[in-house]
Every structure is written in C-alpha cells, then in structure tokens.
Amino acid sequence: METADPRNSVPPGRVTPFYGFVAAVAVLALLVSAGPLIELPGRLAGLPVAFWTMAALAVVCDARPFVPPGRRQSSAVFPSTCFTFAILLGWGLGPAVAVQTVAVVVSGWRMGYAAWRSGFNAAQYACALAAAAAVTGLGPGGIFEGGHLGWSDVLAVGGAAAAWFVANYGLVSTAIRWRFGGRWWPGFRSGLGYELISTGSLLLLAPVLVTAARASAALIPLVLVPLFAVYRMAHLAAEQEQLGALDPLTGLPNRKALLAEVAEQVHLHAERAARGEPDAHLALLLIDLDRFKNVNDALGHAVGDRLLVEVSARLAGAVGERDLLARLGGDEFAIVSTGLTGVDAARETAERLVGALAEPVALDGLPLDVGGSIGIALYPEHGEDFATLMRHADVAMYDAKQRSDTVAVYAAESDHNSAERLGLLADLRRVLEAGPAGRDDGRGPAGRDDGRGPAGRDDGRGAAGVRGGDGAALPAALAPAVAGRGGAGRSTGGSARWGVRRNRERSGPAHPDELIQRIVTAADPIRRRAAATGAGLEQPGDTGPEQPAEPGGGGAAEADPGTGPGAGVAYAEPTGRRPGPDEPGNPGEITMYYQPQVAIATGEVVGVEALLRWRHPRRGMVDPEELIRVAEQSAVMRLLTRRVVDDVVEQLAKWSAAGISLRAALNVSVRDLHTGEIADQIADRLARFGVRPERLQLEITEGALMADPRRVLATISRLHSIGVAIALDDFGTGYSSMQHLRRLPLSEVKVDRSFVLGMADDADDAAIVRSMIELAGALGLRVVAEGVEDERTWRLLHAAGCDVAQGWFYARPMPAEELAAWLARYRPLRPAAREAESRPPRAR
C-alpha cells in the first residue's frame, strides 16, 4: 500500500497542523497563479518553438532526477528548475507554472510519491515562481524582448533567483517542521549549503538558456551537454565512492558504508518513533572472531583470507534482507539490524549469527573452529549516533569476551572508559603531578638534592621534627614514649600497597589531560556550572561503610579514615598555586594509610601494610580497587607507583628518626615489574633517605608473576640483590606452582582474605589455610594471614602455625600519626592456651 512508505506518512498528532499548512500553501498557489493560468490557453498558439523545447526537456529530465550519493531521496536534484525558471524569464508566470506542474506530476509518479506530496510540491514551486515573477516586475520590464541586457536586468534576474530560492526553501523547511515537529531554524540551516549549491546553480543557468533561445531554439538542447556531463561525473563519483565503501577482500560494505547506513537508519527510526510505531529500534552488532589469530599464525595469511571470505558468506546468509553486514577490518564484522521492537529481537539476530559460526569451516580438508563474540548496542537506548553506538557495541563485545560468553548487550557498568572514568583519570594525574601539599623534601621544586640529609632535616615545614606520612607533625611528647616502648628497635615487617612516586611542584604548561578535563567538564553539569560561575564544589562526607570499633587489644577505637586528619587538603596546581578544598580545580588528596601486622604467638607488632587512599573533592573516598583499575590502563600507573615509593620510604626514615623500626612492603603492578625501572627507583630512594634495604619489602601477585615470568623474575632478582624482601600476595587465588615457590627469592607468602574470612565457619576454608601454612613452612617462608576480624579466626591461625596476622581484630588502616599514637598505647595480645577454642571446625 502507498501509505506503507514512510515518506508518504505523517506522524500521529501532526496530521491536522501539517495538512492545514499544505492546504494553505495550495490556496496561496492558486491565488497567485490563477490569473496567468486562465490566460494561458489563449497564448499557447503564439508560444515559440523554444518554449516547447524547454517544456519537453523539463518534463523528460524530471522523469529521472539525480540523487547524490549518501543522501536521501528528499535531496534529489530536479533539472526542471532550470527550464521552468528560464520559461518564467522569457514568457511569464502562467507557462512556467503549467510546465512545472506537469514535471512535478511525472517525477512524483516515478518516485512513488503520494498525491498530497506531489500536490504540495506543485504548490510550493508555483509560489516560488510567483515570488520570482514579482521581483522581475520591479525591474525595467521586457528583459528578453530585444536589445542588450543592462545591469538593471542582471540585478532583476539575480533578485528573482533569490526570491525563488527563499520562497521555495522556506516553504519546504516549514512543512518539515509541521510534519515532524522540533525547532524550525536547525532544520532550515542543516540543508542550506547543499541547496544553495545544487538549486542555485540551476537557477543561474536559466538566463544563459534564455539568451541562447533568443538566438535559435536549436541551441537549447545543447544545455543538456553540460547537464549530462555533470550528471555522468556525479555518477562516476558515486561509483568510485561505492567502490571506496566496499571491502576489497570480501566485497562487503566497509566502515565508511556502515557509518552512512547507521546515519540514514537513525533518521528513519527517529521518524518511526515520532509516529509511535513499535519497530522504531535498530541494533548495531559488533562481531569479533575468537580464534582467527591462531589460524593466521599457524596456517598463514592466505588461509586466513580464505577463512574470512567463508565467514562473511555465512554471516550474510544469517542476516535479514533489511540488515547491512559490513567488515570493519581484520576479523571484525558489524551488522545494522533495523525495524526491531526491542533488545529481544536484537538477541535473536545475534543468536542466528552465533549459529552460523557454530559449524567448523572446512578449508583444504581441515576443519577450522572460529567462534565469535558479539556485542549489541540498541538505538535509542544506548546511543543516537554512529560513534556512540559503535563504542558501546565494542564495550559489550569485550564484555562478552571477558565473561567467556557469545553475546552481550551494552551495560553502563561494563563501560570502564566512560566520561566519569576519564575525569577520574585526569584528576588522578593532576593530584600526582601536583605532589603532596606542603612538602619540600630537600630537592627543591624540580626534585633536585640540595644537600640536606633525609633524617632529622628541615623539610620546609618549620622546625625539624617527626612527621607522619600525610605531613602532620607528631606531638613532641609522643616520640619518647614511642621510642621507649617494648619492641622498639626491632626490625618489624609491613607492607605498603601501591606505593608510588610523588612529583614535585613545578611550573609549566597544562598537563596532557587538559583536553579530557574540558570534555568531562562539558559533559558534567556540576563541573560546568562550577567552572562558569567560579563557585566551589561541595565536598561530600565519607561515603564508605561504617567502621566497627576495635577489640580491647587494640586500645580505643581509631578515627574513621574518611574523617581523619588531612581530609580535604588541597594540592598545588602545576603553576604552583594551590586551589582551596572547595575550588573546582582541586583534584583532592592522596595519602597513605597503614595497617599493623602482628606476630600471632607473641602479640608484637612486626610490620604495617600501607594502603593508598584518595579523597576526591566530589566523590569522597575513592574505592582503592577502582583507583588502581583506572590507573593501570594508562601511563598514570607509573606516576602512582613512584609516588607511593617516595612516600613510604620517606615515612620509614621519619619513623627511624622517632626510634620506630618498621619494615614496609610495596605491592607493585605488572607494568612496574615488566619495565624493571622500579628496581633503580627503589635503590635511589633508599640511598637518598638513608633507609636500610631490609626494611622494605615488595609484594607481587600471582597474576603479575604469570603475565611474563621471565621479565618478572629478572626484576625480582635485581630487587633481591639490593636487599629488598619479596612477598607473594593473595596466595591461593592465582596460578602459583611449587616451581615458582621454589625458584623465586621469596621471604613471605600472604594468605588471601577470601580464605581467612570463612575459616571459622567453613571447614574447607580452614583446611585450605592450614595446607598453605604447612606448605610455606616446609619451604622456609613466613606466612601472613590477611582479613583477621575476630578472635576465633585469630586462635585458629595460631593453632595452625601461622606467623603473622593483620585485620580489624587488631586495628584498621590509619594515617601515619595515628599509627604512632596507636603504637604508643598498644599492649601485646597473646593467645591463651585453650585448645577447645582453637580447635578447627569439623570437616564435612
């Protein structure tokens, strides 16, 4: 049915105003052209051959209008405009309107327009011709009646052409506004340039055509030569563009064609949504073959190319007739599935594609299994343009790969590169480049050594003294108490997680993430409003969970980390000016918290684990796991590692000056172990601050060890030769083997908290922990249990022979000065020899 064509339909709710406008234009066209049309029959006999030649060419040319490549049919160019405007200039309004109406009817029939659409087109052209005729009437008159053309004639022709264009384009733009709604000016402006070039060229060719007609009617068909040349050149360009939009290997459309198709379909589906139709969704499906690289590596690229051709043929057979299959490059394909009712319909398409790839592809008698991972992004839920849909489909595809699944629909929580994360990464870089507030470590603003020693030196904060890791001075009366406590001077173990370098304040250009900052500020209304008005951002309170009070062995409960000293302290901008805590430019504060590690048998504190904390001015305390996850994806991880190494080593020097001997371990990332730079950095910092190497310990995870064992082993060996101890973190959760435990220069293993937390109630967890303790003991390694939160777990670990424990049973993480106060009042807590309480749960 004709009404099934979306070009001929009107959205619900727009019918009355739209058809009212069409009727008004039709009435206006009749009013302005009725008189000339009534007079036309009496003039037909006197019209010259030139008129009839132009009229015939106008109708014939409009029977096949030219649609430029990449544009919709509504952008078609109608050559009749040139001829009818020439007829207007030569013989008046009546003949021009009559010929234009016939041409519109023929072109509308050829293009399948509804009657109302052809009627409106005829009316709009009549109004445009009437406007042009009115302008020519203001001229000297008789433009082409004889003699030479003067400047007044040329101005009249130019004014008539402008009047024709303004009337015609204005009526069409207003009709679109009444048909689909929305603002009038953006729609008017969007197509103005294209119409000026295409229609304007035809209008300005009309005076040349009339001038040729004055000499001889035989010259009129010659105008078809340049029109045909332009037409052929446009078609050749279209063919070249079509070839440029095809993948040369598979013959499928490429990324360029995919972009054009998505843009077109988004427009059509927006019209469907405006009409309230249920099939107003489209899906962009991104496919990545799972084992294609193995085929290329094992059998060569020639076989890989043949495999891609076969896969493309299978996928083409699985998509619908209205869908577009494109190859993006390599082993990536994309499908635009249109006319969907929702995500379930998109999943059905994806399942068909999965089924097409399920059977092995036989090449030269060898069956090749190439499954695929498919990501789905749906319009309009997941994006309203190609770039957004493509990125979200890519996120969903990698989500499917990570979950070892075949199909995944985009979900915001799986998008690790959102604007919010980009902003977080930019803020993290800024706080690292700014360096700790108020810190001058004797190297000056550029980080140079000015000859002042690390221990007991004037550090630029007033009188020399003992200070915590966040820069706060310890009370003068506290240092003797700490120095005189039992166990002082002992080499105590600890671990500083994610230790990294601090960059000194410096002057210079804006940091490389300034563009990201502008993007995020523009996308975030809070940032945008603050940047525009200069108003401060509110600093939210700590959003973390409420911390439980410590047991009696740990003394009085410590302050919550989110409310401890140093919260909300601002850091310097690269120019040296430090924004206040409520200023928009403030990236927050990074500091180190320390959690004690206690020998289970004696109750003595044998170390601390340093934990990274970042108080963001808008987000409060940032989750440490999210912080590391964001940093590891960029070069910011290198800055973060250097900052923590500097902070922890300097803190060790300060504790030494206060009479506290602690050992700290740093948990480093895979990137740090691969480069090997961290060994040189640690050696330099230990020498600079005068800290003995045995007081520092590095923690590595099993995953980092397995990523590249050769390079990791080389870095670890260098650190071991310096004298830095190595600990294996999260033991039991990765891929450790007896070979790694035997070959690595380890001094300690840390049993993961996932096993320790459940060992009091779960016999399996208790058995696993005991086995790991026995294994480490047999290899001569010290065992540290993480996540000890209750007395029963503490006693079970003692009975199993565990060496060291850490967790909230003893103390939570705290800033350096709070740790010093905690140490001053801490009294060793030894397990009582009560066998009944230490007995492990019965095995199932």
Side-chain angles (χ1 to χ4, degrees):
M1 296 176 60
E2 187 178 54
T3 55
D5 190 338
R7 299 173 302 167
N8 298 324
S9 59
V10 180
R14 312 296 307 177
V15 174
T16 301
F18 174 71
Y19 283 123
F21 176 76
V22 170
V25 173
V27 171
L28 178 62
L30 288 175
L31 291 177
V32 298
S33 61
L37 288 175
I38 293 174
E39 297 174 358
L40 180 60
R43 297 180 54 192
L44 289 178
L47 291 174
V49 176
F51 165 78
W52 295 106
T53 304
M54 289 186 191
L57 292 176
V59 175
V60 171
C61 289
D62 267 18
R64 192 179 180 185
F66 172 65
V67 180
R71 287 190 170 267
R72 308 170 65 209
Q73 284 192 340
S74 58
S75 301
V77 178
F78 296 94
S80 64
T81 300
C82 172
F83 298 104
T84 56
F85 189 60
I87 292 173
L88 172 71
L89 296 176
W91 297 283
L93 179 60
V97 171
V99 173
Q100 185 70 75
T101 301
V102 175
V104 166
V105 172
V106 171
S107 63
W109 169 69
R110 289 277 301 184
M111 300 184 73
Y113 287 165
W116 67 262
R117 185 163 187 171
S118 295
F120 173 76
N121 289 342
Q124 84 186 43
Y125 283 124
C127 292
L129 289 169
V135 174
T136 59
L138 299 176
I143 296 177
F144 294 103
E145 292 179 356
H148 295 285
L149 293 177
W151 285 107
S152 59
D153 296 320
V154 174
L155 291 176
V157 171
W164 189 102
F165 181 85
V166 170
N168 182 77
Y169 191 67
L171 289 173
V172 172
S173 301
T174 305
I176 294 174
R177 160 68 176 82
W178 284 112
R179 185 181 177 192
F180 298 110
R183 299 171 59 191
W184 178 81
W185 173 246
F188 180 89
R189 184 179 55 184
S190 63
L192 183 59
Y194 170 75
E195 291 294 335
L196 278 174
I197 294 175
S198 59
T199 306
S201 300
L202 293 174
L203 291 173
L204 296 179
L205 185 60
V208 179
L209 186 60
V210 175
T211 304
R214 289 177 55 191
S216 173
L219 295 178
I220 296 176
L222 295 180
V223 78
L224 295 179
V225 176
L227 286 178
F228 180 75
V230 173
Y231 180 80
R232 286 302 302 164
M233 290 176 64
H235 268 281
L236 290 174
E239 292 175 2
Q240 288 296 114
E241 187 168 349
Q242 185 178 10
L243 291 176
L246 294 178
D247 175 56
L249 176 63
T250 62
L252 295 175
N254 59 14
R255 181 183 290 268
K256 183 179 179 181
L258 179 69
L259 190 155
E261 177 69 11
V262 171
E264 172 73 11
Q265 291 298 331
V266 163
H267 186 91
L268 293 177
H269 284 69
E271 294 180 355
R272 292 181 182 178
R275 294 192 296 270
E277 298 179 6
D279 57 346
H281 300 267
L282 72 85
L284 181 61
L285 293 83
L286 191 62
I287 306 175
D288 184 81
L289 303 183
D290 289 338
R291 288 168 288 277
F292 178 73
K293 185 177 182 300
N294 298 338
V295 175
N296 261 350
D297 293 342
L299 303 177
H301 289 276
V303 175
D305 289 346
R306 292 171 56 195
L307 178 61
L308 288 174
V309 172
E310 179 62 29
V311 167
S312 65
R314 288 194 179 188
L315 294 177
V319 300
E321 294 181 358
R322 297 182 300 174
D323 300 342
L324 175 73
L325 170 66
R327 182 187 175 218
L328 304 180
D331 59 346
E332 279 194 338
F333 297 84
I335 293 97
V336 182
S337 187
T338 59
L340 306 179
T341 56
V343 69
D344 291 337
R347 281 189 174 275
E348 291 178 3
T349 301
E351 293 300 334
R352 291 200 306 271
L353 298 171
V354 171
L357 298 176
E359 292 295 325
V361 178
L363 294 179
D364 299 332
L366 180 64
L368 301 177
D369 185 12
V370 283
S373 300
I374 303 178
I376 301 174
L378 205 66
Y379 169 88
E381 287 84 349
H382 303 146
E384 298 183 354
D385 57 78
F386 174 79
T388 305
L389 290 171
M390 190 68 182
R391 190 178 74 81
H392 288 171
D394 191 59
V395 169
M397 184 266 290
Y398 278 105
D399 185 35
K401 280 187 177 294
Q402 291 175 359
R403 295 190 287 106
S404 298
D405 201 352
T406 54
V407 180
V409 179
Y410 172 77
E413 55 269 20
S414 301
D415 192 350
H416 302 312
N417 294 308
S418 61
E420 182 181 2
R421 292 216 170 189
L422 287 175
L424 192 66
L425 182 63
D427 288 343
L428 179 58
R429 178 183 286 275
R430 292 181 61 205
V431 73
L432 292 173
E433 290 181 342
R439 179 193 235 168
D440 181 358
D441 64 349
R443 285 177 279 175
R448 296 185 299 272
D449 192 352
D450 65 355
R452 286 183 286 179
R457 69 181 185 280
D458 182 1
D459 61 359
R461 290 169 293 187
V466 181
R467 296 182 180 271
D470 59 356
L474 296 180
L478 183 59
V482 174
R485 72 173 179 85
R490 169 187 294 272
S491 176
T492 58
S495 36
R497 186 174 300 272
W498 297 110
V500 291
R501 161 174 84 100
R502 74 175 177 264
N503 253 355
R504 307 298 184 263
E505 299 175 348
R506 65 186 185 192
S507 299
H511 59 76
D513 287 319
E514 186 63 30
L515 178 60
I516 295 178
Q517 277 295 107
R518 291 202 297 267
I519 293 173
V520 175
T521 299
D524 189 332
I526 298 178
R527 287 172 178 258
R528 187 170 61 249
R529 184 166 59 252
T533 63
L537 296 175
E538 294 185 4
Q539 180 173 323
D542 185 15
T543 57
E546 184 178 352
Q547 308 289 346
E550 295 180 15
E558 304 295 337
D560 187 279
T563 59
V569 178
Y571 286 88
E573 295 175 330
T575 58
R577 176 188 177 276
R578 300 182 184 277
D582 293 332
E583 293 188 35
N586 173 34
E589 174 194 11
I590 280 186
T591 188
M592 300 303 300
Y593 278 51
Y594 298 88
Q595 184 173 31
Q597 294 178 327
V598 179
I600 297 178
T602 64
E604 295 184 16
V605 178
V606 294
V608 291
E609 179 177 8
L611 303 168
L612 191 63
R613 293 292 184 266
W614 179 19
R615 174 173 284 279
H616 193 274
R618 292 190 307 116
R619 299 182 48 165
M621 295 298 286
V622 178
D623 179 26
E625 292 186 3
E626 182 180 7
L627 191 159
I628 300 304
R629 187 166 52 247
V630 168
E632 279 187 320
Q633 306 301 320
S634 70
V636 174
M637 190 68 233
R638 182 170 174 265
L639 299 177
L640 190 60
T641 300
R642 289 189 174 188
R643 169 71 174 272
V644 176
V645 168
D646 277 9
D647 284 358
V648 173
V649 174
E650 183 179 15
Q651 187 60 56
L652 287 173
K654 293 175 181 177
W655 279 332
S656 293
I660 305 174
S661 296
L662 294 175
R663 182 184 61 206
L666 308 175
N667 190 323
V668 293
S669 72
V670 179
R671 297 168 67 104
D672 301 319
L673 295 174
H674 281 183
T675 62
E677 178 185 346
I678 190 171
D680 296 332
Q681 179 193 350
I682 288 177
D684 174 74
R685 298 304 184 268
L686 291 174
R688 186 183 299 274
F689 287 101
V691 176
R692 298 192 307 274
E694 60 269 17
R695 293 188 52 202
L696 192 65
Q697 177 173 287
L698 284 192
E699 294 183 359
I700 62 173
T701 63
E702 300 177 69
L705 176 64
M706 294 303 296
D708 192 336
R710 182 181 58 82
R711 285 199 290 180
V712 171
L713 181 59
T715 302
I716 291 174
S717 299
R718 289 184 59 197
L719 290 167
H720 179 68
S721 65
I722 295 172
V724 176
I726 307 297
L728 186 62
D729 195 15
D730 299 336
F731 184 55
T733 62
Y735 310 95
S736 294
S737 66
M738 289 295 294
Q739 181 181 14
H740 295 133
L741 294 177
R742 179 175 57 86
R743 292 178 56 192
L744 292 175
L746 299 177
S747 61
E748 178 182 289
V749 294
K750 300 189 71 174
V751 181
D752 187 70
R753 66 176 60 246
S754 62
F755 300 110
V756 176
L757 287 172
M759 65 179 299
D761 301 314
D762 191 295
D764 292 337
D765 284 348
I768 291 173
V769 172
R770 288 196 304 271
S771 299
M772 288 190 285
I773 293 173
E774 292 174 0
L775 174 61
L779 295 173
L781 303 176
R782 182 173 57 251
V783 182
V784 178
E786 299 179 298
V788 181
E789 297 188 358
D790 56 68
E791 182 179 354
R792 179 159 175 76
T793 302
W794 171 58
R795 295 187 181 280
L796 289 173
L797 290 169
H798 175 256
C802 184
D803 300 304
V804 179
Q806 71 178 83
W808 284 1
F809 176 70
Y810 293 105
R812 72 191 63 172
M814 62 193 84
E817 77 280 1
E818 292 186 19
L819 176 67
W822 183 87
L823 290 172
R825 64 175 179 267
Y826 173 75
R827 297 297 177 266
L829 186 64
R830 299 177 177 83
R834 289 184 287 180
E835 186 65 26
E837 294 187 11
S838 303
R839 186 177 298 115
R842 185 184 301 276
R844 293 193 297 269

